[in-house]
Structures are given as structure tokens and as C-alpha cells.
């Protein structure tokens, strides 16, 4: 755990914590818990962090706490959104972490320049190490696949994820704002909070697949009466090879371009994708 709440309601990171300044009363950031914590200082081989002692009921995470057990992808997304609002809703001693997003490699239309190919090759080994994050406390510097996003949410603790900003071509967006459920992104799109043709990470469960001559629709199971579809146009059929049986009933994370549409007089939202690499199976 990298973040804690103080007795006065302020939030502090383990790297910034100083008992002489912040006091000795530190607690779990999860409002469902508030277990008493201790601070473990930085060493030559490990960064600073907070933990419970387990020596008394007051210093143990309860079953409703997000640090009690590993979270599912969906649980982690929701908790990261909650923690982000709490951590950055006031002036706190928390350091943001910037992670670069580069998904050029998943685009079948993308042709890398020679220099970019060399740099990509040099980064391959380090990227693989970045994905192996279960026992590490440092976040990856670059994300280049949807698999990495899913791995991020299922491997890191939510307080760490809540401090991450995703850098897309110079624009920095909180991770908690760019990975959302399809009903939420629908409301954002139709509420003019995001623009048509914006790119997002959206997750949902596939309900059915409709394959027409020039376009395929992969419909998500409605949530809050929201109709949302992934769309594959005929130029990209050859890159999207999943069968209906492989898709229906699966929960997936998708990346693509959002757009509004109307179906039988009802507002709907769509995401245009190009290949298998534009989705990642969550479960």
C-alpha cells in the first residue's frame, strides 16, 4: 500500500510520509476499512510503503476493504475511480505517475519508420519485464497493448493506479477517467463531456454478434438500458478473426474510436475497432 489517510483526513504517500510532520496516526485509505497502519521506510532495494501489523483487530483489513484480497478487473476499475476522487479531491502529499500510451503496434494501418522499429526492438525486453509486475512496486513507463492495461488493473493495488496519468500524444488523462464501463462512456459521449471520435478503453460483456456484408456489430449486454456496439468494417474483416462462439458471453476490454448513432429512435454508442488486438478478454 503506497497511500494512507492521516488522522486529520489528509492523504499522504509512503514516499512523502514523515512522522515528525504528519504524525503517527495513519490509516487505510479505503473508507470501508480504516485499519491502523505502520510505515515501512525506503531501503536500497525497496521503496517505502504502508502496511497493517495484523497484531490486533484494528490493524487488519476487513473483508470489505480493497486491500483484503486481489480485486477483479471490474472491482479494481471502480475502486481506482473512487480513490482518484479522494486522493486528488483536496491538497494532498501524493505524487502523480505518468505512463505513456503507445498503441501504434496494434493498428493494421500503421507502418513504423525505420528508427521507430529499432527503438521498439530495444524496448521489447524491458516491456516484457514491465508487464511482470505482480511483485514489483514500480509502474511501467510505457503501455503498448490492451493486455498490459488488464494486467495493470489486476496486478497493482488500487491506490497506486489512482495516481497514474496516461500520456497520449502529450495529453495527460487520469487512468481512472480513460478506462470505463460502456454505460458510463455512453453518458459521457451523449452528454457532450467527450467528443465524437475520441479514443477510450471500454469494457462490457458481449451479448450477440451481427455480421452483415460490409459491417459487423458486436453488441454488448445492455447496462442501464444503454445500447453499445463494437463495429468492424469490411476492410478489416481479415484482421478480426474471432468466431461468434469465442465472443458471445465474454467480458472484454476494447480500445477504439467512439461515435454516436441512432437505432429505432434511441441514442446508441459505437466503438470502431480494426483487429483482434483491439479487444482483450477479461473473463
Amino acid at each position: 500500500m503506497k497511500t494512507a489517510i492521516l488522522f486529520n483526513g489528509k492523504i499522504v504517500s509512503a514516499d512523502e510520509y514523515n512522522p515528525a510532520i504528519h504524525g503517527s496516526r495513519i490509516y487505510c485509505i479505503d473508507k470501508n476499512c480504516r485499519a491502523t497502519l505502520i510505515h515501512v521506510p525506503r531501503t536500497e532495494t525497496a521503496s517505502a510503503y504502508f502496511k497493517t501489523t495484523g497484531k490486533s483487530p484494528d490493524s487488519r483489513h476487513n473483508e470489505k476493504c480493497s486491500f483484503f484480497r486481489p480485486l477483479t478487473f471490474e472491482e479494481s476499475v471502480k475502486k481506482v475511480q473512487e480513490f482518484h476522487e479522494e486522493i486528488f479531491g483536496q491538497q494532498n502529499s501524493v505524487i502523480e505517475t505518468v505512463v505513456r500510451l503507445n498503441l501504434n503496434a496494434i493498428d493494421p494501418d500503421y507502418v513504423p519508420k525505420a528508427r521507430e522499429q529499432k527503438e521498439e526492438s530495444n524496448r521489447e525486453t524491458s516491456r516484457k519485464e514491465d508487464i511482470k509486475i505482480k511483485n514489483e512496486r514500480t509502474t511501467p513507463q510505457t503501455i503498448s497493448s490492451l493486455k498490459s492495461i488488464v494486467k495493470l488493473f489486476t496486478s497493482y493495488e488500487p491506490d497506486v493506479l489512482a495516481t497514474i496519468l496516461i500520456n497520449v500524444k502529450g495529453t495527460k488523462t487520469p487512468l481512472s477517467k480513460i478506462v470505463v464501463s460502456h454505460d458510463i462512456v455512453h453518458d459521457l459521449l451523449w452528454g457532450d463531456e467527450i467528443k465524437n471520435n475520441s479514443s477510450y478503453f471500454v469494457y462490457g460483456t458481449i451479448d450477440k454478434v451481427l455480421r452483415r456484408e460490409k459491417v459487423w456489430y458486436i453488441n454488448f449486454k445492455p447496462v442501464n438500458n444503454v445500447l453499445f456496439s463494437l463495429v468492424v468494417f469490411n476492410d478489416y474483416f481479415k484482421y478480426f478473426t474471432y468466431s461468434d462462439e469465442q465472443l458471445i458471453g465474454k467480458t472484454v476490454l476494447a480500445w477504439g474510436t467512439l461515435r454516436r448513432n441512432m437505432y429505432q429512435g434511441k441514442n446508441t454508442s459505437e466503438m470502431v475497432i480494426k483487429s483482434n488486438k483491439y479487444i482483450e478478454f477479461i473473463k
Side-chain angles (χ1 to χ4, degrees):
M1 190 186 311
K2 296 286 291 181
T3 315
I5 190 166
L6 304 175
F7 73 95
N8 60 4
K10 295 288 186 179
I11 293 173
V12 65
S13 71
D15 293 329
E16 296 292 318
Y17 175 74
N18 183 332
I21 298 174
H22 301 108
S24 60
R25 290 174 287 174
I26 48 179
Y27 307 96
C28 175
I29 190 176
D30 195 317
K31 63 184 179 183
N32 297 316
C33 183
R34 297 299 196 240
T36 302
L37 305 176
I38 61 170
H39 180 253
V40 181
R42 179 185 179 89
T43 67
E44 291 183 359
T45 58
S47 59
Y49 61 97
F50 298 106
K51 72 171 187 175
T52 57
T53 65
K55 294 181 179 180
S56 69
D58 290 341
S59 191
R60 298 173 189 158
H61 296 298
N62 63 46
E63 293 183 359
K64 294 182 179 180
C65 179
S66 55
F67 299 95
F68 181 77
R69 59 170 175 81
L71 301 179
T72 66
F73 177 86
E74 296 96 323
E75 289 172 335
S76 182
V77 169
K78 292 176 182 177
K79 188 56 68 171
V80 170
Q81 292 169 349
E82 176 188 316
F83 282 177
H84 179 82
E85 296 299 328
E86 187 168 1
I87 290 172
F88 295 104
Q90 53 180 306
Q91 190 68 32
N92 293 307
S93 299
V94 178
I95 300 172
E96 295 173 334
T97 301
V98 178
V99 177
R100 179 171 172 261
L101 180 69
N102 184 353
L103 297 178
N104 288 338
I106 74 171
D107 188 346
D109 294 328
Y110 179 71
V111 179
K113 298 177 182 178
R115 179 180 176 182
E116 291 175 336
Q117 287 178 323
K118 182 177 180 180
E119 291 175 348
E120 185 68 19
S121 176
N122 292 337
R123 286 197 296 263
E124 185 65 27
T125 301
S126 61
R127 182 186 301 122
K128 289 179 180 178
E129 292 300 319
D130 284 340
I131 294 175
K132 298 175 183 177
I133 54 181
K134 198 70 177 179
N135 297 315
E136 297 181 9
R137 295 188 178 277
T138 56
T139 54
Q141 296 180 342
T142 302
I143 289 175
S144 57
S145 70
L146 276 74
K147 184 183 291 291
S148 297
I149 289 287
V150 173
K151 190 76 172 179
L152 202 64
F153 275 97
T154 54
S155 300
Y156 276 103
E157 292 182 331
D159 62 323
V160 174
L161 299 177
T163 66
I164 290 179
L165 299 179
I166 299 296
N167 183 357
V168 184
K169 297 180 179 179
T171 300
K172 300 179 180 66
T173 304
L175 179 64
S176 62
K177 302 292 186 183
I178 202 171
V179 181
V180 295
S181 60
H182 72 272
D183 57 316
I184 290 178
V185 84
H186 171 86
D187 290 341
L188 294 173
L189 187 60
W190 284 92
D192 291 327
E193 294 185 53
I194 59 177
K195 298 178 180 179
N196 250 346
N197 300 317
S198 297
S199 295
Y200 267 70
F201 293 101
V202 177
Y203 65 92
T205 300
I206 296 173
D207 187 37
K208 57 185 176 181
V209 179
L210 178 61
R211 298 181 189 263
R212 293 179 176 170
E213 183 180 354
K214 293 187 177 182
V215 62
W216 293 342
Y217 294 97
I218 303 165
N219 299 330
F220 281 10
K221 183 178 180 180
V223 174
N224 297 324
N225 295 317
V226 168
L227 300 180
F228 185 92
S229 301
L230 305 179
V231 178
V232 185
F233 290 108
N234 60 338
D235 287 345
Y236 300 97
F237 285 174
K238 61 184 177 182
Y239 302 114
F240 194 85
T241 60
Y242 290 121
S243 66
D244 292 6
E245 291 75 16
Q246 290 174 303
L247 295 170
I248 295 173
K250 301 297 192 299
T251 300
V252 301
L253 177 70
W255 165 266
T257 303
L258 295 167
R259 66 178 194 176
R260 300 175 184 176
N261 203 356
M262 296 287 294
Y263 177 73
Q264 296 181 349
K266 183 177 177 60
N267 293 346
T268 67
S269 296
E270 298 176 344
M271 172 178 281
V272 179
I273 64 174
K274 297 180 180 181
S275 74
N276 290 355
K277 295 180 179 180
Y278 278 68
I279 68 170
E280 178 68 22
F281 292 96
I282 298 171
K283 61 180 181 181

